[in-house]
Amino acid sequence: MHNILTFDLEDWFHGNFLFDEDEKSYSESRVLEPTMRLLELLKETGNQATFFVLGSIAEKYPQLIEKIADNGHEIASHGFLHRLVYKLSPKEFEDDLQRSISVLERLAGMKILGYRAPYWSIYSDMKWVFEILFSAGLKYDSSVYPFKTYLYGSNQAPRFQYSVDLKEENMITEIPPSVLEFLKRRIPFCGGFYFRLLPYRFVRRGIKKINQKEKKPAVFYLHPYEIDANKTKNSKGLKNNFILHVNVKRAEKKLTRLLNDFSFISMRDYLKSSE
Ligand SMILES: [Zn+2]
């Protein structure tokens, strides 16, 4: 069974919501090196992925986006600026989305089909967001985290792919990141901070459980800065520092094992294969 691999392409300081836009513009950028390394790893292990690209990063590194697309990966939208969607008005959200889609379609030479909100900041009851995604021509979303944290997510959100029904029988397919369910408790494990924190064997067992017992693909996510051991460590706040930097040194090795142990495809190709 194929699993689904996704990367959110942004800079390391986008991972910390305490940074404001001004500070982001003069912080040291660390995008190229870890993303090139990811592309090499994907080539070496024969896997394909969806890159949810932040529009402002695409403007800054146009050749990188072209290269990702040339390597056969899917380019999707991570918005233009890295802002919490639940704090935006519908108009602000729509403008940010359109701005990202136009730069990404121009650089990637493909139609943008999917969206992932910065900080997973969409809840399943925010119907207006899904209406705007549909109007913008998108087919799927991957932003509703089925586990509650201090910043995002809900323990009531569905764990697996579902349709969000909209006006006039329109719909958007929601593909959430994978979490495990054990004795009615949910355990995030399949990406980001949780992937770095947990032992690899736990992650491997989790994906096998989802594939074999629940007969579903696992949805994995990571950011390039999460395998970047050379990045600076001047993040804000103890908790955010820990979330951003824990076990980054070991993450590349873990990711390599994961990419060898399982077979991954993009969201676009997964949806095409399940039509
Ligand atoms: Zn992000």
Side-chain angles (χ1 to χ4, degrees), residues 109-247:
M110 66 178 81
K111 182 153 170 39
I112 303 303
L113 300 174
Y115 177 75
R116 174 171 289 154
Y119 314 107
W120 313 96
S121 57
I122 295 179
Y123 294 102
S124 44
D125 60 355
M126 289 162 62
K127 275 282 165 75
W128 61 271
V129 168
F130 297 99
E131 293 285 359
I132 290 171
L133 293 175
F134 183 86
S135 313
L138 303 196
K139 303 280 180 236
Y140 72 86
D141 174 73
S142 180
S143 310
V144 183
Y145 210 102
F147 175 76
K148 184 163 176 39
T149 74
Y150 73 106
L151 193 60
Y152 57 77
S154 151
N155 291 328
Q156 277 72 49
R159 289 172 59 227
F160 297 113
Q161 180 184 329
Y162 60 99
S163 298
V164 181
D165 295 324
L166 304 172
K167 283 180 221 149
E168 296 163 9
E169 295 183 33
N170 298 328
M171 60 145 238
I172 288 277
T173 301
E174 175 63 34
I175 312 175
S178 294
V179 299
L180 290 169
E181 198 157 56
F182 184 69
L183 301 174
K184 294 199 173 160
R185 293 189 75 128
R186 293 184 174 185
I187 309 163
F189 77 105
C190 210
F193 164 73
Y194 311 104
F195 172 69
R196 281 180 283 129
L197 199 63
L198 293 163
Y200 176 68
R201 62 181 183 282
F202 183 92
V203 177
R204 185 172 55 195
R205 216 183 305 141
I207 294 180
K208 282 190 174 160
K209 192 173 172 219
I210 285 177
N211 288 169
Q212 291 164 7
K213 294 224 170 91
E214 306 195 84
K215 313 270 181 235
K216 305 280 188 191
V219 178
F220 182 87
Y221 68 93
L222 208 68
H223 303 82
Y225 62 75
E226 296 189 87
I227 62 158
D228 180 15
N230 297 324
K231 74 168 177 286
T232 48
K233 289 197 177 175
N234 56 352
S235 204
K236 289 195 171 186
L238 270 181
K239 183 160 78 175
N240 286 302
N241 233 333
F242 180 70
I243 291 172
L244 211 53
H245 301 295
V246 69
N247 290 350

